[in-house]
Amino acid sequence: MRYAARSEWTKLRTDPGNGWLLLGVVALTLVVGAAVAMTARCDAMGCGEDATKLSLTGVMVGQVVVAIVAVLMAGNEYSTGMMHTTVAAVPRRLTVLFSKVAVLSAVMLMAGAIGVFGSLLVGGLVQPGRGFTEEHGYEAMSLADSETLRAAVGSVLYLALIGLLGLGIALIVRSSATAIGIVLGLLFFFPILTQVITNPDWQRLLQQIAPMTAGLSVQTTIGVDQLPIGPWEGLGVVALWAAGALAVGGAMLRSRDV
């Protein structure tokens, strides 16, 4: 396992494109979150804005790049034929799968943590000047607050889970372009469908099972009891999507002749 993980890390870090993509995860998460924090305003008591969630808006954009990195981790090996070399060097294919999962998770947790905590740092600095003050019912943003900490940690875990979802789908379809399309479809199709359907029960169900809608509920710190699904339960939905994709992808990796 250690040899396989080292091999996967070598493949990931020696591709210059991956370095730029990982930088993109951090930059987009941080820049978009900072831009929203610097433009949002709260001009009166009870303005209803969730300051923490606003600062974490960049996660919604950063997840797209996370999905691309994860898909390419397996998709590039299929497109170049490198997967034949990989399974020849590591015949136990589940070891190949677990090593990819371990390396991808570690990298995404690190990149996600930098982007997420950087976004909260910027938000904590600029939002008081945008009206998010004690006079308007907002305390200074701090990781000592359990709700803010949960939103931060949950956002980092969400990005890592989106990466695992992308990896699983890439192993299933063996095509980078197709896998990226499927992942982005899963993320953004459900919210669009929710806007089209008018039945409130169906809307609530879609929000509960949609990976992005359910997963990003972990960022909410105001009106948590009004969410269609709880913060940690929502993150659990994303974990189930990722686990399902990896289970199917792992089974197909074992059964197919690469």
Side-chain angles (χ1 to χ4, degrees), residues 122-144:
V122 174
L125 291 173
V126 304
Q127 285 182 335
R130 305 297 297 174
F132 294 90
T133 60
E134 291 185 4
E135 290 77 9
H136 293 162
Y138 290 90
E139 297 182 1
M141 191 183 301
S142 171
L143 292 175

mmCIF file of all heavy atoms in Angstrom, residues 122-144:
data_model
loop_
_atom_site.group_PDB
_atom_site.id
_atom_site.type_symbol
_atom_site.label_atom_id
_atom_site.label_comp_id
_atom_site.label_asym_id
_atom_site.label_seq_id
_atom_site.Cartn_x
_atom_site.Cartn_y
_atom_site.Cartn_z
ATOM 1 N N VAL A 122 -10.449 36.296 5.560
ATOM 2 C CA VAL A 122 -10.776 37.518 4.831
ATOM 3 C C VAL A 122 -12.159 38.018 5.235
ATOM 4 O O VAL A 122 -12.365 39.222 5.474
ATOM 5 C CB VAL A 122 -10.709 37.279 3.312
ATOM 6 C CG1 VAL A 122 -11.194 38.507 2.554
ATOM 7 C CG2 VAL A 122 -9.293 36.935 2.884
ATOM 8 N N GLY A 123 -13.116 37.100 5.321
ATOM 9 C CA GLY A 123 -14.463 37.487 5.713
ATOM 10 C C GLY A 123 -14.500 38.131 7.085
ATOM 11 O O GLY A 123 -15.177 39.150 7.301
ATOM 12 N N GLY A 124 -13.761 37.557 8.026
ATOM 13 C CA GLY A 124 -13.728 38.119 9.376
ATOM 14 C C GLY A 124 -13.130 39.506 9.414
ATOM 15 O O GLY A 124 -13.478 40.319 10.279
ATOM 16 N N LEU A 125 -12.222 39.807 8.462
ATOM 17 C CA LEU A 125 -11.581 41.113 8.435
ATOM 18 C C LEU A 125 -12.455 42.182 7.775
ATOM 19 O O LEU A 125 -12.485 43.336 8.237
ATOM 20 C CB LEU A 125 -10.244 41.020 7.688
ATOM 21 C CG LEU A 125 -9.133 40.221 8.380
ATOM 22 C CD1 LEU A 125 -7.939 40.070 7.454
ATOM 23 C CD2 LEU A 125 -8.717 40.899 9.677
ATOM 24 N N VAL A 126 -13.161 41.813 6.703
ATOM 25 C CA VAL A 126 -13.875 42.833 5.920
ATOM 26 C C VAL A 126 -15.351 42.972 6.279
ATOM 27 O O VAL A 126 -15.926 44.050 6.096
ATOM 28 C CB VAL A 126 -13.741 42.552 4.408
ATOM 29 C CG1 VAL A 126 -12.283 42.460 4.000
ATOM 30 C CG2 VAL A 126 -14.489 41.297 4.004
ATOM 31 N N GLN A 127 -15.964 41.925 6.791
ATOM 32 C CA GLN A 127 -17.405 41.995 7.005
ATOM 33 C C GLN A 127 -17.853 42.996 8.062
ATOM 34 O O GLN A 127 -18.929 43.589 7.909
ATOM 35 C CB GLN A 127 -17.956 40.595 7.309
ATOM 36 C CG GLN A 127 -18.043 39.731 6.061
ATOM 37 C CD GLN A 127 -18.635 38.365 6.331
ATOM 38 O OE1 GLN A 127 -18.578 37.859 7.450
ATOM 39 N NE2 GLN A 127 -19.202 37.762 5.311
ATOM 40 N N PRO A 128 -17.084 43.237 9.130
ATOM 41 C CA PRO A 128 -17.527 44.291 10.062
ATOM 42 C C PRO A 128 -17.700 45.639 9.378
ATOM 43 O O PRO A 128 -18.586 46.427 9.744
ATOM 44 C CB PRO A 128 -16.393 44.322 11.100
ATOM 45 C CG PRO A 128 -15.861 42.934 11.102
ATOM 46 C CD PRO A 128 -15.921 42.498 9.660
ATOM 47 N N GLY A 129 -16.875 45.925 8.379
ATOM 48 C CA GLY A 129 -17.011 47.175 7.640
ATOM 49 C C GLY A 129 -18.169 47.172 6.662
ATOM 50 O O GLY A 129 -18.497 48.220 6.085
ATOM 51 N N ARG A 130 -18.792 46.017 6.476
ATOM 52 C CA ARG A 130 -19.949 45.894 5.583
ATOM 53 C C ARG A 130 -21.256 45.802 6.365
ATOM 54 O O ARG A 130 -22.298 45.454 5.820
ATOM 55 C CB ARG A 130 -19.797 44.666 4.686
ATOM 56 C CG ARG A 130 -18.520 44.599 3.880
ATOM 57 C CD ARG A 130 -18.403 45.741 2.889
ATOM 58 N NE ARG A 130 -19.477 45.685 1.911
ATOM 59 C CZ ARG A 130 -19.718 46.620 0.986
ATOM 60 N NH1 ARG A 130 -18.935 47.696 0.950
ATOM 61 N NH2 ARG A 130 -20.714 46.501 0.131
ATOM 62 N N GLY A 131 -21.201 46.107 7.644
ATOM 63 C CA GLY A 131 -22.421 46.144 8.445
ATOM 64 C C GLY A 131 -22.676 44.914 9.285
ATOM 65 O O GLY A 131 -23.678 44.857 10.011
ATOM 66 N N PHE A 132 -21.804 43.917 9.216
ATOM 67 C CA PHE A 132 -21.982 42.702 10.019
ATOM 68 C C PHE A 132 -21.336 42.937 11.388
ATOM 69 O O PHE A 132 -20.243 42.455 11.677
ATOM 70 C CB PHE A 132 -21.363 41.499 9.310
ATOM 71 C CG PHE A 132 -22.076 41.134 8.024
ATOM 72 C CD1 PHE A 132 -21.679 41.694 6.819
ATOM 73 C CD2 PHE A 132 -23.143 40.251 8.042
ATOM 74 C CE1 PHE A 132 -22.340 41.366 5.631
ATOM 75 C CE2 PHE A 132 -23.814 39.916 6.859
ATOM 76 C CZ PHE A 132 -23.410 40.486 5.660
ATOM 77 N N THR A 133 -22.032 43.704 12.211
ATOM 78 C CA THR A 133 -21.515 44.139 13.505
ATOM 79 C C THR A 133 -22.448 43.702 14.627
ATOM 80 O O THR A 133 -23.564 43.226 14.380
ATOM 81 C CB THR A 133 -21.384 45.667 13.527
ATOM 82 O OG1 THR A 133 -22.688 46.250 13.295
ATOM 83 C CG2 THR A 133 -20.431 46.155 12.431
ATOM 84 N N GLU A 134 -22.017 43.897 15.845
ATOM 85 C CA GLU A 134 -22.842 43.552 17.001
ATOM 86 C C GLU A 134 -24.118 44.385 17.027
ATOM 87 O O GLU A 134 -25.170 43.907 17.485
ATOM 88 C CB GLU A 134 -22.043 43.765 18.287
ATOM 89 C CG GLU A 134 -20.905 42.765 18.463
ATOM 90 C CD GLU A 134 -20.215 42.923 19.808
ATOM 91 O OE1 GLU A 134 -20.677 43.760 20.622
ATOM 92 O OE2 GLU A 134 -19.233 42.201 20.055
ATOM 93 N N GLU A 135 -24.040 45.619 16.524
ATOM 94 C CA GLU A 135 -25.233 46.458 16.474
ATOM 95 C C GLU A 135 -26.315 45.853 15.588
ATOM 96 O O GLU A 135 -27.505 46.091 15.799
ATOM 97 C CB GLU A 135 -24.876 47.862 15.965
ATOM 98 C CG GLU A 135 -24.059 48.710 16.928
ATOM 99 C CD GLU A 135 -22.598 48.300 16.949
ATOM 100 O OE1 GLU A 135 -22.182 47.477 16.088
ATOM 101 O OE2 GLU A 135 -21.862 48.799 17.835
ATOM 102 N N HIS A 136 -25.912 45.084 14.608
ATOM 103 C CA HIS A 136 -26.858 44.433 13.692
ATOM 104 C C HIS A 136 -27.060 42.957 14.036
ATOM 105 O O HIS A 136 -27.627 42.206 13.235
ATOM 106 C CB HIS A 136 -26.395 44.588 12.250
ATOM 107 C CG HIS A 136 -26.429 46.003 11.771
ATOM 108 N ND1 HIS A 136 -25.720 46.426 10.654
ATOM 109 C CD2 HIS A 136 -27.066 47.112 12.244
ATOM 110 C CE1 HIS A 136 -25.925 47.710 10.458
ATOM 111 N NE2 HIS A 136 -26.737 48.152 11.415
ATOM 112 N N GLY A 137 -26.567 42.537 15.188
ATOM 113 C CA GLY A 137 -26.814 41.176 15.659
ATOM 114 C C GLY A 137 -25.767 40.150 15.267
ATOM 115 O O GLY A 137 -26.020 38.942 15.354
ATOM 116 N N TYR A 138 -24.579 40.610 14.840
ATOM 117 C CA TYR A 138 -23.537 39.679 14.413
ATOM 118 C C TYR A 138 -22.328 39.794 15.321
ATOM 119 O O TYR A 138 -21.809 40.893 15.537
ATOM 120 C CB TYR A 138 -23.106 39.968 12.966
ATOM 121 C CG TYR A 138 -24.154 39.623 11.940
ATOM 122 C CD1 TYR A 138 -25.099 40.573 11.555
ATOM 123 C CD2 TYR A 138 -24.198 38.364 11.368
ATOM 124 C CE1 TYR A 138 -26.072 40.262 10.622
ATOM 125 C CE2 TYR A 138 -25.161 38.045 10.423
ATOM 126 C CZ TYR A 138 -26.101 38.994 10.053
ATOM 127 O OH TYR A 138 -27.063 38.677 9.136
ATOM 128 N N GLU A 139 -21.882 38.677 15.848
ATOM 129 C CA GLU A 139 -20.638 38.654 16.603
ATOM 130 C C GLU A 139 -19.471 38.511 15.630
ATOM 131 O O GLU A 139 -19.644 38.091 14.490
ATOM 132 C CB GLU A 139 -20.643 37.496 17.599
ATOM 133 C CG GLU A 139 -21.722 37.614 18.666
ATOM 134 C CD GLU A 139 -21.658 36.479 19.667
ATOM 135 O OE1 GLU A 139 -20.757 35.612 19.520
ATOM 136 O OE2 GLU A 139 -22.493 36.456 20.579
ATOM 137 N N ALA A 140 -18.288 38.859 16.081
ATOM 138 C CA ALA A 140 -17.097 38.719 15.239
ATOM 139 C C ALA A 140 -16.908 37.250 14.853
ATOM 140 O O ALA A 140 -17.046 36.348 15.685
ATOM 141 C CB ALA A 140 -15.873 39.227 15.986
ATOM 142 N N MET A 141 -16.632 37.014 13.571
ATOM 143 C CA MET A 141 -16.472 35.649 13.086
ATOM 144 C C MET A 141 -15.248 35.008 13.722
ATOM 145 O O MET A 141 -14.158 35.573 13.701
ATOM 146 C CB MET A 141 -16.345 35.646 11.560
ATOM 147 C CG MET A 141 -16.444 34.260 10.937
ATOM 148 S SD MET A 141 -16.211 34.321 9.135
ATOM 149 C CE MET A 141 -17.544 35.424 8.658
ATOM 150 N N SER A 142 -15.427 33.823 14.297
ATOM 151 C CA SER A 142 -14.329 33.157 14.976
ATOM 152 C C SER A 142 -14.509 31.653 14.914
ATOM 153 O O SER A 142 -15.633 31.144 15.024
ATOM 154 C CB SER A 142 -14.265 33.616 16.439
ATOM 155 O OG SER A 142 -13.351 32.828 17.172
ATOM 156 N N LEU A 143 -13.392 30.946 14.743
ATOM 157 C CA LEU A 143 -13.444 29.484 14.739
ATOM 158 C C LEU A 143 -13.716 28.921 16.129
ATOM 159 O O LEU A 143 -13.961 27.727 16.278
ATOM 160 C CB LEU A 143 -12.138 28.911 14.192
ATOM 161 C CG LEU A 143 -11.885 29.157 12.695
ATOM 162 C CD1 LEU A 143 -10.510 28.642 12.304
ATOM 163 C CD2 LEU A 143 -12.960 28.493 11.850
ATOM 164 N N ALA A 144 -13.658 29.790 17.145
ATOM 165 C CA ALA A 144 -14.027 29.358 18.487
ATOM 166 C C ALA A 144 -15.533 29.132 18.592
ATOM 167 O O ALA A 144 -16.001 28.426 19.484
ATOM 168 C CB ALA A 144 -13.580 30.395 19.515
#
